[in-house]
Amino acid sequence: MDRRGFLLLLATGLAGAAVGRGAAAMDLGAPDPVAPPPPAPATPTGPGGLVAVPAPAGVVDRLPGTGNQLALTIDDGSDGEVVAALVTLVRETGTRLTFFPNGSYRTWGDNARDLWPLIESGQVAFGNHTWSHPDVTTLSDAEVAEELRRNQDFMRRTLGVTATPFWRPPFGSHDERTDAIAADVGHPTTVMWNGTFDDGRAVGADELMAAAQQWFAAQAIIVGHANQPAISTVLDQLLGLVESRQLQTVTLADVWSSPA
């Protein structure tokens, strides 16, 4: 081999060694791959470690299983001061409520800013109660769907509630046809009740408390209304009753998750 060939071979070898050293240095300095975050739970976990199960298709009138849960559900919302008092109750005491509003009442928009953080934290949940509270069994298919869709739009725009499996028919009046329409627009679970504040009429504080004494029990779904001032005057007494019976308030969304 002549001198020129020897120098060329030597240069090629040195270059290859340098490339090898560079690659080794890169390998030594490369960070370990980052593990992906653990998958989110399939269902949300509520207070006391309560794990939600998929919301059923059909009618429910009590909470599933056994336990000490109590679902307080509030309909309508014609009285803005009552809505505000209930929002304050949730914020200051940790009570959990489910609201079924009618979007035709401006009271919900008036209280929206105070509701937003409670919705985000999960302390309050929402279901659809139609836009204007008609007896849906007297409406056409298209009218039932419009009442529900209009209220969906209201909840999304005003409250940030993008989806809920729950709806409650006004007056508790429904049939297979209305339930099927509600399911088609996104509410497969028709929520009735097995306890009441008995405040679908003019009622006083004593009558409200008598109803609560009768109906507050484990796994009950209680229906009430944000329509009359009387309920605002007994909130402390209602919480005392919940505590004395060792019940835990939950939202419907704590118990039932939206279907995938």
Side-chain angles (χ1 to χ4, degrees):
M1 179 182 298
D2 60 18
R3 183 173 181 274
R4 182 178 179 184
F6 173 79
L7 292 175
L8 180 60
L9 180 61
L10 180 61
T12 302
L14 290 173
V19 170
R21 285 195 303 272
M26 290 175 64
D27 290 341
L28 289 173
D32 293 331
V34 178
T43 53
T45 300
L50 181 67
V51 177
V53 298
V59 181
V60 298
D61 61 8
R62 70 180 304 277
L63 300 180
T66 59
N68 67 336
Q69 287 82 41
L70 176 70
L72 301 175
T73 64
I74 305 296
D75 292 1
D76 303 356
S78 64
D79 190 312
E81 292 184 1
V82 174
V83 174
L86 291 168
V87 171
T88 300
L89 174 78
V90 172
R91 184 176 60 243
E92 294 185 353
T93 68
T95 304
R96 301 174 83 83
L97 296 178
T98 303
F99 290 114
F100 285 90
N102 300 119
S104 59
Y105 296 124
R106 61 174 294 172
T107 55
W108 297 104
D110 293 343
N111 288 279
R113 289 186 180 277
D114 291 326
L115 278 164
W116 291 340
L118 302 175
I119 295 168
E120 185 175 358
S121 72
Q123 281 185 265
V124 298
F126 279 82
N128 198 330
H129 197 43
T130 73
W131 169 257
S132 64
H133 206 279
D135 179 344
V136 292
T137 63
T138 68
L139 303 182
S140 69
D141 291 4
E143 289 170 331
V144 175
E146 175 61 19
E147 278 283 336
L148 292 168
R149 289 194 177 110
R150 188 173 182 184
N151 215 41
Q152 285 176 338
D153 290 343
F154 146 74
M155 289 192 293
R156 181 174 60 252
R157 292 193 319 269
T158 305
L159 302 169
V161 177
T162 57
T164 172
F166 312 115
W167 86 292
R168 172 171 284 157
F171 312 107
S173 181
H174 69 108
D175 53 29
E176 291 184 1
R177 179 183 68 93
T178 60
D179 291 354
I181 295 168
D184 285 343
V185 302
H187 308 299
T189 307
T190 303
V191 180
M192 302 298 283
W193 56 87
N194 60 352
T196 177
F197 285 118
D198 199 21
D199 60 349
R201 57 187 177 88
V203 65
D206 290 343
E207 292 171 290
L208 276 169
M209 286 307 302
Q213 289 279 354
Q214 179 179 356
W215 297 112
F216 277 24
Q219 308 311 105
I221 298 176
I222 307 296
V223 63
H225 301 82
N227 298 343
Q228 301 179 49
I231 194 170
S232 301
T233 68
V234 295
L235 293 177
D236 289 343
Q237 293 170 260
L238 292 172
L239 285 190
L241 182 60
V242 171
E243 293 173 4
S244 69
R245 295 187 176 179
Q246 298 182 320
L247 300 172
Q248 180 181 54
T249 60
V250 294
T251 73
L252 296 180
D254 290 330
V255 176
W256 288 301
S257 63
S258 296

